[in-house]
Amino acid sequence: PEQIARKFAQTQEDYFKQFVADIAARHEKKAQLVMRGFDQNLISPEQWAQLKDVAIQLLRNSVVHGIELPETRLQRGKSQTGTIQLTLSQQSDGNLMLVAEDDGNGIDFNAIRRKAVVQGLVSVSQADAMQQQQLLSLMFSSGFSTVTQESEDAGRGVGMDIIKDIIKNMGGRINIATDAESYTRFSMTFPKK
């Protein structure tokens, strides 16, 4: 069973790496995916099916929203190719943790404020007064997207709400860390089933 699980993990890694490469190419970006821990932390097929949906949404967001265009990355003193890391680990309490991190833009809180005003969710003064935690909550609401033009990969306002729902249904929680022009990290902790 362990050998089958490792082979399965490799197949999934190949799939995700191609997925990232395809989205990056469509957006004229360069991105590489590094995956860790999937072959050591064996999870049930049912739980993997849920995690796969979460990973797809996070990887798509990392490429579309996080990773900058090659010329922008060079101006910021970064390599032209953005790096996305997807790591699965077991915590000391027995829970699993899935971490998705990119070395891109960071979350654009002002873009979230502007979009919230445009969508009529809040007034300009309310948006200006919103704290980062409140803005992150908005980002997870259904139908919310900061992309101005809808594409195959973004702008339909589905994605972050799916992630929130799946992790919640798995009995888990999400933490977000971000720094402008530096990184965004989503850490999702959930019980192993």
Side-chain angles (χ1 to χ4, degrees):
E2 199 169 304
Q3 192 173 0
I4 293 169
R6 281 194 171 62
K7 187 171 174 52
F8 177 74
Q10 185 59 53
T11 304
Q12 295 304 307
E13 184 170 338
D14 295 343
Y15 168 81
F16 284 131
K17 285 183 175 183
Q18 189 61 54
F19 180 76
V20 166
D22 290 346
I23 295 173
R26 282 197 294 272
H27 292 269
E28 299 176 2
K29 297 179 179 183
K30 295 180 180 182
Q32 64 178 349
L33 174 63
V34 177
M35 290 181 64
R36 294 188 184 95
F38 287 83
D39 55 345
Q40 288 101 20
N41 296 287
L42 308 179
I43 55 177
S44 70
E46 299 78 29
Q47 201 161 30
W48 173 251
Q50 294 174 307
L51 277 188
K52 186 173 181 179
D53 289 342
V54 169
I56 285 170
Q57 296 297 336
L58 289 170
L59 293 173
R60 181 181 287 128
N61 282 353
S62 284
V63 177
V64 174
H65 298 285
I67 303 298
E68 312 94 330
L69 291 168
E71 55 272 21
T72 303
R73 290 183 63 83
L74 286 176
Q75 289 167 2
R76 293 177 176 175
K78 300 178 181 181
S79 74
Q80 284 188 4
T81 303
T83 300
I84 303 167
Q85 295 181 60
L86 200 58
T87 307
L88 184 66
S89 60
Q90 187 156 353
Q91 306 306 111
S92 57
D93 61 6
N95 285 331
L96 290 174
M97 180 182 278
L98 177 68
V99 177
E101 181 173 346
D102 67 62
D103 66 350
N105 274 318
I107 293 174
D108 185 344
F109 290 104
N110 287 326
I112 297 172
R113 283 187 177 93
R114 286 190 300 273
K115 194 64 174 214
V117 171
V118 167
Q119 289 187 347
L121 301 173
V122 293
S123 68
V124 173
S125 60
Q126 287 171 320
D128 289 343
M130 290 180 89
Q131 301 298 311
Q132 284 189 357
Q133 200 57 46
Q134 294 169 298
L135 294 167
L136 290 173
S137 291
L138 264 183
M139 194 174 77
F140 280 100
S141 59
S142 180
F144 192 85
S145 176
T146 57
V147 172
T148 51
Q149 194 166 352
E150 192 175 304
S151 74
E152 178 180 348
D153 301 310
R156 294 183 301 275
V158 294
M160 298 310 292
D161 58 324
I162 291 171
I163 293 168
K164 180 184 76 174
D165 291 346
I166 291 172
I167 297 299
K168 186 177 172 188
N169 288 338
M170 291 173 80
R173 63 185 188 281
I174 303 173
N175 287 313
I176 304 169
T178 187
D179 190 31
E181 298 183 8
S182 182
Y183 76 94
T184 300
R185 181 188 313 119
F186 287 87
S187 304
M188 288 139 296
T189 312
F190 50 91
K192 183 174 182 175
K193 296 211 166 106

